Amino acid sequence: MENSRNRPGLSRIEPGPGQESVWDYPRPPRVEPSTERIVVTLGGRVIAETTDSVRVLETSHPPVYYLPRSAFVDGSLVAAAGSSFCEFKGAAKYLSVVSPDATAERAAWYYPTPTPGFEALVDKVAVYPSAMDSCVVAGETVQAQAGDFYGGWITSRVVGPFKGGAGTAGW
């Protein structure tokens, strides 16, 4: 298992009671179900709400929550240009997220045919918290993971340091 102690100049934050360290998450990542209430708002409106999501947990990354497509308001997810590839989950496609008063271009992604081991992601969508008005997990407003590629959701439940910011590309 990877560990921040193997990274020069990096100091793992020890988790307190009820917390998780992202340095205890596995690589390759693990997918686990979550029943925490998730609420996503854009343009001042709730565009998704569910208690049926999955979290993807990967070493050095805050969790990424994937919500069922059915949790999103009809018409709030629109196909967008581009794709990306994850060495673990496979090929991702992008979506724009829209509400009557706002549009967040390429602010969500999904895996139409995830690789074996990640089938739980079928029909699930992740959003970049930095592109939304808010993403709330179990009543707590999420902080977005730093950087413009990863979409981790940081709450008081997880401690880092987190990959994504300046100087972390080699982690």
Side-chain angles (χ1 to χ4, degrees), residues 6-18:
N6 299 333
R7 306 287 183 205
L10 197 62
S11 182
R12 177 183 190 269
I13 298 168
E14 287 299 319

Side-chain angles (χ1 to χ4, degrees), residues 81-143:
S83 63
S84 61
F85 185 79
C86 171
E87 65 183 306
F88 303 114
K89 298 179 287 290
K93 293 190 176 187
Y94 288 87
L95 300 163
S96 292
V97 183
V98 298
S99 77
D101 299 317
T103 298
E105 298 290 339
R106 291 176 40 96
W109 70 97
Y110 68 102
Y111 293 91
T113 53
T115 58
F118 293 91
E119 295 88 354
L121 299 180
V122 170
D123 293 325
K124 303 266 191 316
V125 175
V127 299
Y128 288 104
S130 61
M132 303 296 109
D133 291 352
S134 68
C135 295
V136 176
V137 176
E140 182 179 352
T141 301
V142 166
Q143 292 181 19

Side-chain angles (χ1 to χ4, degrees), residues 18-80:
Q19 291 184 315
E20 304 169 347
S21 170
V22 298
W23 292 97
D24 294 332
Y25 293 163
R27 186 167 172 90
R30 177 177 75 238
V31 179
E32 68 177 30
S34 173
T35 58
E36 298 166 292
R37 177 160 299 285
I38 308 287
V39 180
V40 179
T41 60
L42 179 66
R45 299 179 189 236
V46 172
I47 54 122
E49 187 169 359
T50 188
T51 56
D52 179 26
S53 64
V54 295
R55 298 188 318 154
V56 173
L57 309 176
E58 180 175 358
T59 303
S60 77
H61 296 269
V64 175
Y65 285 81
Y66 287 76
L67 289 60
R69 279 184 180 266
S70 61
F72 288 84
V73 171
D74 286 343
S76 63
L77 299 174
V78 178

